[in-house]
Amino acid sequence: MEYSCVQLTDLPDEILITIFKKLANIEVLYSIVGVNKRLNKIAYDFVFTNNLALLMSTSDGFVYSLHDPILDRFCLHILPEIHQKIKWLELESQSMEHILLATNYPNLCGISLYNIEPEKAIDLFTEVLDLCLIVEGRKIFVDGNDLKMNIINHMPRLNKFIFNIRSWNCFYNEINFPSNENIQNTFKDFKDKQIICCTDYFPKEKKSQCHIYSYPYKVKHYDNITNNFPGGTFKYVRKVSLFDEHPFEHEFFLQIAQSFPLMKYLSITNQKRQINNQFKKSMNLSIIKYPHLKYLCLVDTCIDYHEQFLLDIKTCLPLDVSARMDYKLVKKVTRNFRRNTTR
């Protein structure tokens, strides 16, 4: 039998574009720009240049800057070549200024900003008309008053504001942090955008979190969802994590599945036993479907949540889902892997 060797450049442009779509846009640009004129033409296609996430992110949601050699190549060579085609940039605070000053962006429609301090946003975007702000605050607590007084009031020309801000702080009781109603009232004069706010207090950890965002929500992840989740449809979200010191009941998981129809990654942290679990074993429950789920993590959960996802009378999972679970709990729920409802 004779074998033929096919080079990448032997493939037609349509197939190459299909292959390259499997990669992130910055991977395509960094890898093939400068190889030859044909690959340059493909890399400069609108598909790979209209939206650039010039940052790195970890599986647990941390965002950090591109490595210096990669960042320098983009700022010195790639961005000046494609600057007219870029419509959206995703940036983080450390490299943001370097990227924005590398060239002009005449057709830029929006920017997503990660981990930026309010003062830096004010300095850079005082004359901005449209702004997308994303903050994952680990050490600061940002509520609606902070957002309006420290950012919005300093941007007199702002007429469109897309934002997603999550912050944490230590509070020893619920009295000291703002209510959802107070934060909603802060934005009562903000038109054309629905403002959603969730504040949660965790007495065991003596911490509180505030998550405030504009809706529709366009970020690809939604973290630390609690029983206080307000609902909605999040068609852009692929990665979801759940956390609470109160139990998640079956109806809550039904709401999650409906709100995140394209969810691929689900992680749950909850050690509280379900209150209605024993009572509902005798009832006909709605079977919850997760048609696009690829990864499920239940390591930091009690037995009820292993049962929630292993029993076919409660949940229907795709055949190719990858799951991380506690082996002892799985063995117990499945009755040594012989239980029919967990087959």
Side-chain angles (χ1 to χ4, degrees):
M1 182 181 294
E2 294 184 0
Y3 295 92
S4 59
C5 180
V6 178
Q7 300 291 331
L8 185 66
T9 52
D10 294 331
L11 300 174
D13 290 358
E14 293 78 8
I15 294 180
L16 288 177
I17 291 175
T18 301
I19 294 172
F20 293 149
K21 281 182 179 179
K22 303 293 183 181
L23 303 174
N25 287 351
I26 64 167
E27 293 175 325
V28 175
L29 292 167
Y30 185 77
S31 301
I32 69 174
V33 165
V35 174
N36 57 47
K37 291 183 178 180
R38 182 188 173 210
L39 290 180
N40 278 358
K41 182 179 179 181
I42 293 174
Y44 292 162
D45 188 276
F46 175 79
V47 174
F48 305 114
T49 57
N50 71 317
N51 189 325
L52 295 182
L54 294 169
L55 46 81
M56 303 291 287
S57 61
T58 61
S59 59
D60 53 359
F62 286 95
V63 173
Y64 56 96
S65 173
L66 295 172
H67 297 304
D68 287 342
I70 299 176
L71 182 61
D72 289 342
R73 186 169 178 226
F74 269 97
C75 291
L76 295 175
H77 303 290
I78 299 176
L79 293 177
E81 291 291 327
I82 63 172
H83 67 116
Q84 293 184 337
K85 299 182 178 182
I86 299 173
K87 292 193 173 182
W88 196 281
L89 286 171
E90 296 183 35
L91 309 175
E92 56 80 45
S93 59
Q94 186 176 345
S95 60
M96 173 183 63
E97 193 167 356
H98 189 187
I99 293 168
L100 292 177
L101 296 177
T103 184
N104 295 319
Y105 302 93
N107 296 309
L108 190 66
C109 297
I111 304 175
S112 298
L113 303 176
Y114 294 79
N115 303 332
I116 185 173
E117 296 295 331
E119 294 80 7
K120 195 167 187 178
I122 293 169
D123 291 340
L124 287 170
F125 301 108
T126 301
E127 297 300 316
V128 167
L129 297 178
D130 298 347
L131 176 65
C132 177
L133 178 64
I134 299 176
V135 177
E136 297 290 339
R138 304 284 173 176
K139 298 179 181 179
I140 57 173
F141 194 82
V142 180
D143 62 23
N145 291 322
D146 296 317
L147 184 63
K148 191 168 185 180
M149 292 176 61
N150 295 327
I151 295 180
I152 295 176
N153 288 349
H154 294 271
M155 297 180 176
R157 300 183 63 198
L158 187 67
N159 57 37
K160 182 180 180 182
F161 189 23
I162 302 172
F163 58 91
N164 176 45
I165 300 175
R166 182 186 300 280
S167 56
W168 291 80
N169 208 339
C170 295
F171 288 103
Y172 293 96
N173 57 65
E174 280 186 89
I175 299 175
N176 296 326
F177 71 95
S179 67
N180 294 336
E181 291 76 15
N182 289 339
I183 296 175
Q184 294 288 147
N185 289 333
T186 303
F187 292 95
K188 63 183 179 181
D189 58 342
F190 205 76
K191 299 178 181 179
D192 302 325
K193 273 292 172 187
Q194 189 174 351
I195 308 302
I196 308 297
C197 175
C198 304
T199 57
D200 293 281
Y201 175 65
F202 306 104
K204 186 177 179 180
E205 295 191 355
K206 292 184 171 59
K207 290 183 178 179
S208 63
Q209 73 168 351
C210 179
H211 188 197
I212 179 170
Y213 55 90
S214 55
Y215 185 86
Y217 185 94
K218 295 188 177 181
V219 185
K220 294 182 180 180
H221 63 89
Y222 197 131
D223 298 322
N224 295 318
I225 297 175
T226 69
N227 283 288
N228 197 27
F229 176 60
T233 301
F234 301 82
K235 62 181 180 180
Y236 295 99
V237 174
R238 301 295 182 268
K239 183 178 178 182
V240 173
S241 65
L242 313 178
F243 169 79
D244 208 335
E245 292 180 354
H246 302 283
F248 295 135
E249 303 295 341
H250 183 81
E251 292 78 9
F252 174 78
F253 288 108
L254 180 61
Q255 183 185 27
I256 293 298
Q258 293 171 344
S259 292
F260 303 97
L262 299 177
M263 175 175 59
K264 293 184 177 181
Y265 179 106
L266 176 61
S267 175
I268 303 170
T269 301
N270 198 318
Q271 292 292 343
K272 290 291 185 180
R273 299 293 301 268
Q274 292 178 320
I275 297 173
N276 300 323
N277 191 35
Q278 295 298 323
F279 172 71
K280 289 190 174 180
K281 283 184 177 179
S282 60
M283 298 177 60
N284 292 323
L285 298 174
S286 299
I287 298 176
I288 304 172
K289 297 181 180 180
Y290 303 87
H292 300 281
L293 195 66
K294 297 294 183 183
Y295 182 83
L296 173 67
C297 182
L298 300 176
V299 174
D300 197 11
T301 63
C302 66
I303 191 171
D304 287 356
Y305 304 103
H306 287 67
E307 190 174 80
Q308 175 73 38
F309 284 88
L310 288 173
L311 295 185
D312 61 10
I313 60 173
K314 293 185 176 183
T315 299
C316 178
L317 292 175
L319 293 176
D320 59 345
V321 67
S322 174
R324 291 186 63 202
M325 300 181 180
D326 185 305
Y327 177 77
K328 292 181 180 179
L329 295 181
V330 172
K331 191 174 181 180
K332 187 174 181 179
V333 170
T334 62
R335 296 171 187 168
N336 203 22
F337 305 100
R338 295 175 181 175
R339 189 176 182 181
N340 286 334
T341 54
T342 62
R343 290 182 63 186

